[in-house]
Amino acid sequence: MRQSESLLPTLKEVPTDADIKSHQLLLRAGFIRQTASGVYSFLPLGKRVLRKVEEIVREEMEQIGANEMLMPALQPAELWRETGRWDVYGPELMRLKDRHDREFALGATHEEVITSLVRDEVKSYKKLPLTLFQIQTKFRDEKRPRFGLLRGREFVMKDAYSFHETYESLDITYNSMYQAYSNIFSRCGLNFRAVIADSGAMGGKDTHEFMALSDVGEDTIAYSDTSDYAANIEMAPVIASYTKEAVELAELQKVETADQKTMQDVADFLGHPLNKGLKTLMFKVDEKLVLVVTRGDHEVNDIKLKNLYQASIVELASEQETIDTLGAGFGSLGPVGVNGKVDVVADNAVEYVVNVSCGANENGYHYINANPGRDFEIDTYADLRFIQEGDELPEDQGIVKFARGIEVGQVFKLGDFYANKLGATFLDDRGKSNTMIMGCYGIGVSRTLASIVEQHHDESGITWPVQVAPFQVHLLTINAKKEEQKKLAEELYSSLKSLGIEVLYDDRKERAGVKFADSDLIGIPYRITVGKRADEGYVEFKLRENGEQSELHQSEIVNKIKQLLGK
Amino acid sequence: MRQSESLLPTLKEVPTDADIKSHQLLLRAGFIRQTASGVYSFLPLGKRVLRKVEEIVREEMEQIGANEMLMPALQPAELWRETGRWDVYGPELMRLKDRHDREFALGATHEEVITSLVRDEVKSYKKLPLTLFQIQTKFRDEKRPRFGLLRGREFVMKDAYSFHETYESLDITYNSMYQAYSNIFSRCGLNFRAVIADSGAMGGKDTHEFMALSDVGEDTIAYSDTSDYAANIEMAPVIASYTKEAVELAELQKVETADQKTMQDVADFLGHPLNKGLKTLMFKVDEKLVLVVTRGDHEVNDIKLKNLYQASIVELASEQETIDTLGAGFGSLGPVGVNGKVDVVADNAVEYVVNVSCGANENGYHYINANPGRDFEIDTYADLRFIQEGDELPEDQGIVKFARGIEVGQVFKLGDFYANKLGATFLDDRGKSNTMIMGCYGIGVSRTLASIVEQHHDESGITWPVQVAPFQVHLLTINAKKEEQKKLAEELYSSLKSLGIEVLYDDRKERAGVKFADSDLIGIPYRITVGKRADEGYVEFKLRENGEQSELHQSEIVNKIKQLLGK
């Protein structure tokens, strides 16, 4: 492509409303422009990268036998009412009425459309399993669109759906998808982790999120840099092993702690570290009151509590409820003497504490030297706390570290939620009707593009991995008015193009400095500069990523590029 | 692709709500399914054809230096208000509000978005001309969606926009586009005509519509089957040459015609054919009264009248207005004695009439033997009538025929309408600010797909041209349970695929009759059937289009296919 014939508007200044590098660089290098808040146009360079990422996704999907299709953005409200999501989805779902006042959703996701389609077309086990995917524009009316392509309101997604006879069949496709996703993000040049995530409200089972590691990510993940361990911190299982301190049990005593209420206040007042106190909170778990005990340096993870009880709603009890039940307010709760009044559950770490303090269920008083088993009973011990940076993982799995991640993909065992709601059944090999088992699998294509930029840039601009770069070669002349430079550049442009190599040719009559700056900003991996030694047939070759330069003869340069591209 | 792993639901029955062949066949052969009225899902086969057509479009666009980009579907209402189209476009434009009550249009077309983008990014003549295109889902809330993909509410379009310094530059791009469109529709296997069309209300200049000839088309075009002549009948220039009958001029006489009012009534009453009378109508052309005279067998074309006067509004005058001006009602108007009272214009054919009848501008009376020049004066002769089937074209250009056409594309010289409204200006080489000149160019991609089916089918199903077929080869076994058939089919499947040949492999355990019927319905051009002689290595090869069959050895079949595909 000749630069003079395209729209590649680069910006010298960092746009004021762009906070993160990918947003800044994609704007500055002329890949995208904002049309409305959270709504972008992809300019020619941006569109090229988008297509590269899409093509990688498409290849890997087809590789595992998924079939591409295309569903509409306009989705009848009735379908969403059948699954109950018309009311549940909230203002993120964009809605409109047609000229006959019929309601539609603008596709944020396509479970309803695909499930009703497959319900109508697939009646027999012989046609299962079936995996379908599409690459399509999606709409979600984010409350605060930001970070450019990372959190937009209109964006490109790959969504896939699989349909099965059994959970075993789902497991097989889920594992293929997991592997395909790993291939896709590897091919896109991303440093990523697949993390265990929460399956949320829709009744699903296993789910993994694929996280591109980045400081600007909105999620925090726990991982080990010496093993595969990785999880969303909201979900991360604590697999630390605790040991009991080998000291004598001291005598339980009630002490006045007056107005000391927070864990830190009480610990300071009593003169012990945080982990020598117990934190006690009362929750309402689907209307049932539950006392939850953790070590003072740990935080209760309400998702784990919810999963323990397989509950729908978990919330803190009111102070009036703690007073009515245990006779004390928030700051003075503890497990001693509670037995029978409410369920008492505790995080695994609590089983190993010795001589700790805890609330005495009497306002203004705490116990010291409390010990589990002797002074109080726990109905159930479980993993109930958030993981922490520095937690030890068992068996050489290293130490837990935290990192921020951008969710670029998710694989999800949906189970039968949608098939049940929409009546997607099939006849099995004995003629018996069964509900289909489903999986769904998403990739944020435009978000992946932005994540690549987050991970691949330097102070001068973007440094695209070659497999997703808008072009493979950037061809420049130092002085486009010099006939011998122009002639050599045109020759190279033709011969590279004839080999199927993608060349962006900066044929503009700009100063060399402008061209170099633009080239660094745009970030095409291989740069050929035709300059002073054009008359001798010599050009300069530069690798964008590491700045490595060499001078090559025109007879060598084409082979050099072919070799680098594996052609 | 293995048929057992995909979603290819064929139907035996013709769906009751599908009136035309493309709609019926695309449903029956499992290419599309309706999600809502005028809203379709493309199943795997349909999506494959869509991608083939898109790829042809993309290649031809890139060939003429157009750059692909991608604009959003969500378009801020403010942009549409700037051009005035928010109010003009009517209920066809789908509209919605976001969670902050801001109004958006769902992109029906992208003149506003692209013009505002180019306005912001292109400031100098050095960056012109510039041509950008996208292939994207569009939304138009048709009042009566019908004919499947031909008139839907959500559909795939290629839209391109060009920006220029001058009209001369626009002409060059327009001509390239015209040629690219011809290439695209030829490569898609369409029998089409590019016809001159009306540029409508938006102040444009030249425009051509590309019409796929088909009886189900909603437009009528006039064409010659012996020359390039083709035009939309609304616009078709009449280039017939008339000659004056060599008879003596008879004496003008006023005769009583009482209640005879229509042309046919008067002709019958006076005992002459229709073409021996004059039809006289009074129009209001931008509020100016104009008397329009045609031959009795011709119809006034109000678009031509409008263009003659370069007027905005053309409508028939009221009967009261004809009485006030000429003293007679509708049935008795004529050109005799009118001079000076109103403009009198006539179709070119009127200049050549001899001894004709016409209204006498006196209710109940007509003249007979009226002759132009002697009995009445015409201010302006022009091409003012609709073209008619059978009209002779000059100089060996043949005879006018009418045909129905499906509009699959349009090229349009927009001029400066949008650039003016949105302030898209540039500095020319003398530093002077000018308004950009624009062209726009659309192709209905999904409509093209349906048009191909309208032109390529027989009683058994679709007969895809190979370049847009979902697959190139359909591979079948007569009996999938026979080991030697399965083995040979698997071998051929692998070797064809390894050559990059697209194979649909019907590996289902269905009866041969079902497989053949499905294969004819789906319409893949080359069919390989592995049957009884599999053990000897022989297969049957069949061309879908003409049914030609031959038996070939497995050693020949791959080369045969390669040769047919030009590989």
Side-chain angles (χ1 to χ4, degrees):
Chain A
M1 191 163 89
R2 285 172 192 275
Q3 226 158 313
S4 65
E5 291 178 359
S6 189
L7 183 64
L8 278 72
T10 54
L11 305 171
K12 284 209 189 83
E13 306 297 324
V14 177
T16 48
D17 55 342
D19 296 328
I20 63 167
K21 276 292 172 185
S22 62
H23 192 191
Q24 292 170 359
L25 288 170
L26 289 170
L27 285 170
R28 284 189 57 211
F31 284 66
I32 59 170
R33 284 294 180 269
Q34 183 177 291
T35 299
S37 169
V39 178
Y40 290 86
S41 288
F42 288 83
L43 304 191
L45 289 181
K47 174 66 183 170
R48 289 183 71 94
V49 180
L50 203 56
R51 288 192 61 208
K52 297 257 173 118
V53 176
E54 287 174 7
E55 204 47 40
I56 290 172
V57 170
R58 180 172 286 124
E59 283 173 18
E60 295 291 338
M61 286 296 103
E62 290 181 344
Q63 189 62 36
I64 59 167
N67 287 284
E68 187 169 6
M69 58 179 301
L70 179 65
M71 287 178 273
L74 289 172
Q75 307 187 358
E78 297 86 66
L79 274 179
W80 284 70
R81 290 210 173 90
E82 282 188 61
T83 59
R85 292 209 299 174
W86 183 257
D87 298 319
V88 171
Y89 214 99
E92 240 182 60
L93 188 66
M94 303 195 91
R95 298 156 207 247
L96 72 160
K97 287 181 179 175
D98 72 4
R99 65 197 296 157
H100 306 295
D101 253 2
R102 280 186 291 250
E103 290 177 299
F104 285 84
L106 269 189
T109 169
H110 278 71
E111 282 85 0
E112 279 80 1
V113 175
I114 191 76
T115 308
S116 67
L117 182 73
V118 170
R119 168 194 66 196
D120 295 343
E121 305 300 339
V122 174
K123 310 286 186 190
S124 159
Y125 75 98
K126 289 183 194 167
K127 299 195 173 172
L128 298 176
L130 175 66
T131 306
L132 298 159
F133 77 98
Q134 62 175 350
I135 299 173
Q136 195 213 32
T137 298
K138 295 279 190 287
F139 303 86
R140 282 183 206 163
D141 200 357
E142 293 282 348
K143 196 166 181 186
R144 268 191 304 273
R146 55 186 166 154
F147 296 158
L149 301 185
L150 284 189
R151 188 164 289 280
R153 300 200 288 173
E154 176 173 346
F155 52 95
V156 181
M157 250 190 86
K158 187 281 300 182
D159 45 331
Y161 306 90
S162 67
F163 297 85
H164 308 269
E165 286 184 76
T166 61
Y167 278 96
E168 292 68 39
S169 167
L170 170 59
D171 288 346
I172 294 168
T173 300
Y174 186 89
N175 291 340
S176 303
M177 277 286 174
Y178 186 101
Q179 187 55 51
Y181 275 42
S182 298
N183 296 348
I184 289 166
F185 296 121
S186 298
R187 288 177 65 184
C188 287
L190 283 181
N191 179 14
F192 68 96
R193 288 286 190 290
V195 305
I196 299 162
D198 180 32
S199 56
M202 287 301 164
K205 290 177 69 194
D206 297 346
T207 175
H208 283 86
E209 289 170 350
F210 286 77
M211 293 286 187
L213 300 189
S214 165
D215 288 344
V216 304
E218 296 189 81
D219 297 281
T220 301
I221 67 170
Y223 74 103
S224 157
D225 57 3
T226 60
S227 73
D228 272 352
Y229 178 90
N232 192 310
I233 54 154
E234 288 177 11
M235 274 293 292
V238 173
I239 49 176
S241 52
Y242 307 102
T243 48
K244 220 170 174 118
E245 210 185 339
V247 295
E248 206 152 315
L249 303 193
E251 192 186 341
L252 185 73
Q253 287 185 30
K254 193 193 278 186
V255 296
E256 194 177 345
T257 43
D259 286 341
Q260 314 302 331
K261 285 200 170 155
T262 71
M263 285 307 301
Q264 193 64 56
D265 290 347
V266 172
D268 290 348
F269 180 81
L270 297 174
H272 64 65
L274 265 181
N275 64 3
K276 295 297 275 183
L278 291 182
K279 182 185 289 180
T280 309
L281 297 171
M282 191 180 283
F283 281 87
K284 274 168 78 175
V285 178
D286 283 350
E287 295 302 311
K288 175 182 187 162
L289 291 173
V290 176
L291 204 66
V292 182
V293 186
T294 63
R295 229 167 58 187
D297 57 331
H298 292 157
E299 297 292 333
V300 176
N301 182 326
D302 50 353
I303 292 176
K304 292 181 179 178
L305 180 60
K306 194 167 131 188
N307 289 344
L308 177 69
Y309 278 88
Q310 303 200 329
S312 300
I313 299 168
V314 163
E315 53 188 354
L316 274 175
S318 69
E319 189 144 25
Q320 192 58 52
E321 285 169 313
T322 68
I323 292 168
D324 290 348
T325 321
L326 299 179
F330 286 161
S332 305
L333 298 178
V336 177
V338 170
N339 307 53
K341 293 179 189 161
V342 291
D343 270 18
V344 183
V345 298
D347 178 63
N348 290 324
V350 172
E351 197 170 355
Y352 299 88
V353 297
V354 179
N355 300 337
V356 289
S357 70
C358 62
N361 294 325
E362 185 180 344
N363 287 342
Y365 288 89
H366 277 72
Y367 286 111
I368 57 171
N369 300 327
N371 284 286
R374 185 190 72 176
D375 305 317
F376 59 89
E377 294 298 329
I378 298 293
D379 297 318
T380 312
Y381 283 109
D383 171 15
L384 287 176
R385 70 167 172 99
F386 279 102
I387 202 162
Q388 290 183 341
E389 205 159 16
D391 277 353
E392 271 183 51
L393 295 167
E395 293 162 17
D396 299 332
Q397 287 194 72
I399 302 284
V400 169
K401 297 194 169 189
F402 281 6
R404 307 289 285 178
I406 303 164
E407 187 194 331
V408 285
Q410 182 165 24
V411 291
F412 200 130
K413 294 184 187 173
L414 281 176
D416 60 7
F417 178 84
Y418 291 96
N420 251 331
K421 292 280 185 187
L422 292 160
T425 58
F426 67 96
L427 296 179
D428 68 18
D429 55 359
R430 289 164 304 169
K432 193 170 151 280
S433 180
N434 287 288
T435 300
M436 293 182 194
I437 307 299
M438 290 175 59
C440 75
Y441 318 90
I443 287 180
V445 175
S446 37
R447 185 184 280 183
T448 295
L449 186 159
S451 302
I452 296 168
V453 178
E454 283 299 332
Q455 292 190 357
H456 296 272
H457 66 264
D458 60 21
E459 63 288 348
S460 309
I462 308 173
T463 57
W464 292 105
V466 68
Q467 57 278 21
V468 290
F471 290 87
Q472 295 158 338
V473 174
H474 204 169
L475 176 66
L476 278 68
T477 49
I478 295 275
N479 187 342
K481 288 171 195 158
K482 297 258 184 193
E483 205 45 52
E484 67 276 13
Q485 292 187 21
K486 201 178 152 193
K487 184 162 165 287
L488 179 52
E490 291 283 346
E491 272 174 37
L492 286 172
Y493 183 52
S494 297
S495 54
L496 288 167
K497 273 210 307 177
S498 70
L499 292 166
I501 294 166
E502 301 164 27
V503 186
L504 179 65
Y505 173 24
D506 191 347
D507 59 340
R508 297 175 301 163
K509 293 187 179 62
E510 293 282 358
R511 285 183 300 110
V514 170
K515 290 185 184 181
F516 286 135
D518 279 353
S519 178
D520 284 343
L521 190 55
I522 291 169
I524 293 168
Y526 310 132
R527 184 158 88 199
I528 301 173
T529 306
V530 181
K532 277 185 201 159
R533 295 189 66 195
D535 49 352
E536 302 162 70
Y538 278 96
V539 299
E540 191 183 271
F541 178 67
K542 186 173 174 182
L543 297 177
R544 172 68 184 89
E545 200 176 3
N546 58 18
E548 215 177 274
Q549 293 194 31
S550 50
E551 206 166 37
L552 290 170
H553 193 262
Q554 67 175 112
S555 57
E556 303 165 301
I557 185 72
V558 175
N559 279 332
K560 174 77 179 178
I561 303 269
K562 276 169 71 178
Q563 180 200 325
L564 283 165
L565 293 173
K567 287 207 175 217
Chain B
M1 191 162 88
R2 286 171 193 274
Q3 227 158 313
S4 65
E5 290 178 358
S6 189
L7 183 64
L8 278 73
T10 54
L11 305 172
K12 283 209 189 83
E13 307 295 325
V14 176
T16 48
D17 56 339
D19 296 329
I20 63 167
K21 277 292 173 185
S22 62
H23 192 191
Q24 292 170 0
L25 288 170
L26 289 169
L27 285 170
R28 285 189 56 211
F31 284 67
I32 59 170
R33 283 296 180 268
Q34 184 177 292
T35 299
S37 169
V39 177
Y40 290 86
S41 287
F42 288 84
L43 305 192
L45 289 181
K47 174 66 183 172
R48 288 184 72 94
V49 179
L50 204 56
R51 287 191 62 208
K52 296 258 173 114
V53 176
E54 286 175 7
E55 201 49 40
I56 289 173
V57 170
R58 181 172 285 124
E59 282 174 19
E60 295 292 338
M61 285 298 102
E62 290 182 344
Q63 188 62 35
I64 59 167
N67 287 286
E68 187 170 7
M69 59 180 299
L70 178 64
M71 288 177 273
L74 289 172
Q75 305 186 0
E78 299 86 68
L79 275 179
W80 284 70
R81 290 210 173 88
E82 280 188 62
T83 60
R85 292 210 299 173
W86 183 257
D87 298 320
V88 171
Y89 213 98
E92 241 182 61
L93 188 66
M94 301 194 93
R95 298 155 206 247
L96 72 160
K97 287 181 179 174
D98 72 3
R99 67 197 295 158
H100 305 295
D101 254 1
R102 280 185 291 249
E103 290 177 300
F104 285 85
L106 268 189
T109 170
H110 279 72
E111 282 84 0
E112 280 81 0
V113 174
I114 190 77
T115 309
S116 67
L117 182 73
V118 170
R119 169 194 66 196
D120 295 343
E121 304 300 339
V122 174
K123 310 286 188 191
S124 157
Y125 75 97
K126 288 182 194 165
K127 299 195 172 173
L128 299 176
L130 175 66
T131 306
L132 298 159
F133 78 99
Q134 61 175 350
I135 299 173
Q136 194 214 31
T137 298
K138 294 279 192 286
F139 303 86
R140 281 181 207 164
D141 200 357
E142 293 283 348
K143 196 167 182 184
R144 269 191 302 274
R146 55 183 166 158
F147 296 159
L149 301 185
L150 284 188
R151 188 164 290 280
R153 300 200 287 174
E154 175 171 348
F155 51 94
V156 181
M157 252 190 87
K158 186 282 300 183
D159 46 329
Y161 306 90
S162 68
F163 298 83
H164 308 270
E165 284 184 78
T166 62
Y167 279 96
E168 291 69 38
S169 167
L170 170 60
D171 288 346
I172 294 168
T173 299
Y174 186 88
N175 292 339
S176 304
M177 277 286 174
Y178 186 102
Q179 187 55 52
Y181 274 42
S182 299
N183 296 347
I184 288 165
F185 296 121
S186 298
R187 288 178 65 185
C188 287
L190 282 181
N191 180 15
F192 68 95
R193 290 286 190 289
V195 304
I196 300 161
D198 181 32
S199 56
M202 287 301 166
K205 289 177 70 194
D206 297 347
T207 175
H208 283 86
E209 289 168 352
F210 285 77
M211 293 287 186
L213 300 188
S214 164
D215 288 344
V216 304
E218 297 189 81
D219 297 281
T220 302
I221 67 169
Y223 75 104
S224 157
D225 56 4
T226 59
S227 74
D228 272 353
Y229 178 89
N232 192 310
I233 56 155
E234 288 176 14
M235 275 292 293
V238 174
I239 50 176
S241 52
Y242 307 100
T243 49
K244 221 170 174 117
E245 211 184 338
V247 296
E248 205 153 312
L249 302 195
E251 193 185 337
L252 185 70
Q253 286 184 28
K254 192 194 279 186
V255 296
E256 195 178 343
T257 43
D259 285 342
Q260 313 303 331
K261 286 202 166 154
T262 72
M263 286 309 300
Q264 193 62 55
D265 291 347
V266 172
D268 290 348
F269 181 81
L270 296 173
H272 64 64
L274 266 182
N275 65 3
K276 295 298 273 184
L278 292 181
K279 182 185 290 178
T280 310
L281 297 171
M282 191 179 282
F283 281 86
K284 274 168 79 175
V285 180
D286 284 350
E287 297 301 312
K288 175 182 189 165
L289 291 173
V290 176
L291 203 66
V292 181
V293 186
T294 63
R295 230 166 56 187
D297 58 330
H298 292 156
E299 298 291 334
V300 176
N301 183 325
D302 51 352
I303 292 176
K304 291 181 179 177
L305 179 62
K306 194 167 130 187
N307 289 344
L308 179 68
Y309 277 89
Q310 303 198 330
S312 299
I313 299 169
V314 163
E315 53 188 354
L316 275 174
S318 68
E319 189 145 25
Q320 193 56 52
E321 285 170 314
T322 69
I323 292 168
D324 290 349
T325 322
L326 299 179
F330 284 162
S332 306
L333 299 178
V336 177
V338 170
N339 308 52
K341 292 179 190 160
V342 291
D343 270 17
V344 183
V345 298
D347 177 63
N348 289 324
V350 172
E351 197 169 357
Y352 299 88
V353 297
V354 180
N355 300 337
V356 289
S357 71
C358 64
N361 293 328
E362 186 180 344
N363 286 342
Y365 287 89
H366 276 72
Y367 286 113
I368 59 171
N369 301 325
N371 284 286
R374 186 191 72 176
D375 304 317
F376 59 90
E377 294 298 331
I378 299 294
D379 297 320
T380 310
Y381 283 109
D383 171 16
L384 286 177
R385 70 169 172 99
F386 277 104
I387 201 162
Q388 291 181 342
E389 205 157 15
D391 277 353
E392 272 182 50
L393 295 167
E395 293 162 18
D396 300 331
Q397 287 193 72
I399 304 285
V400 169
K401 298 193 170 191
F402 280 7
R404 309 288 286 178
I406 302 164
E407 188 195 329
V408 286
Q410 181 165 24
V411 290
F412 201 130
K413 293 183 186 174
L414 282 176
D416 61 5
F417 178 85
Y418 291 95
N420 251 331
K421 293 280 184 186
L422 292 160
T425 59
F426 66 96
L427 295 179
D428 67 18
D429 55 358
R430 288 164 306 171
K432 195 171 148 280
S433 178
N434 286 288
T435 300
M436 292 182 194
I437 308 299
M438 288 174 61
C440 76
Y441 318 89
I443 287 181
V445 176
S446 37
R447 185 183 278 184
T448 295
L449 186 160
S451 303
I452 296 168
V453 178
E454 283 300 330
Q455 293 189 358
H456 296 271
H457 67 265
D458 59 21
E459 63 287 347
S460 309
I462 309 172
T463 56
W464 292 107
V466 67
Q467 57 279 19
V468 290
F471 290 88
Q472 295 158 338
V473 174
H474 203 171
L475 176 66
L476 279 67
T477 50
I478 295 277
N479 186 342
K481 289 171 195 159
K482 297 258 185 192
E483 206 44 53
E484 67 275 14
Q485 292 186 22
K486 203 180 152 192
K487 184 164 166 287
L488 179 51
E490 292 283 346
E491 271 175 39
L492 287 171
Y493 184 52
S494 295
S495 55
L496 289 167
K497 273 208 309 177
S498 71
L499 291 166
I501 294 167
E502 301 164 28
V503 187
L504 180 65
Y505 173 24
D506 190 347
D507 60 341
R508 297 175 302 163
K509 291 185 181 64
E510 293 282 358
R511 286 183 300 110
V514 170
K515 290 185 183 179
F516 285 136
D518 279 355
S519 178
D520 283 345
L521 190 55
I522 292 168
I524 293 167
Y526 310 131
R527 182 159 88 200
I528 301 173
T529 307
V530 181
K532 279 186 202 158
R533 296 190 66 194
D535 47 353
E536 302 162 71
Y538 278 97
V539 299
E540 192 183 270
F541 179 67
K542 186 174 174 181
L543 295 176
R544 172 70 185 89
E545 199 175 3
N546 57 18
E548 216 176 274
Q549 294 195 28
S550 51
E551 207 165 36
L552 289 171
H553 193 263
Q554 67 175 112
S555 58
E556 303 165 304
I557 185 71
V558 175
N559 279 332
K560 174 76 178 179
I561 304 268
K562 277 171 70 178
Q563 180 199 325
L564 283 166
L565 293 173
K567 285 208 174 214

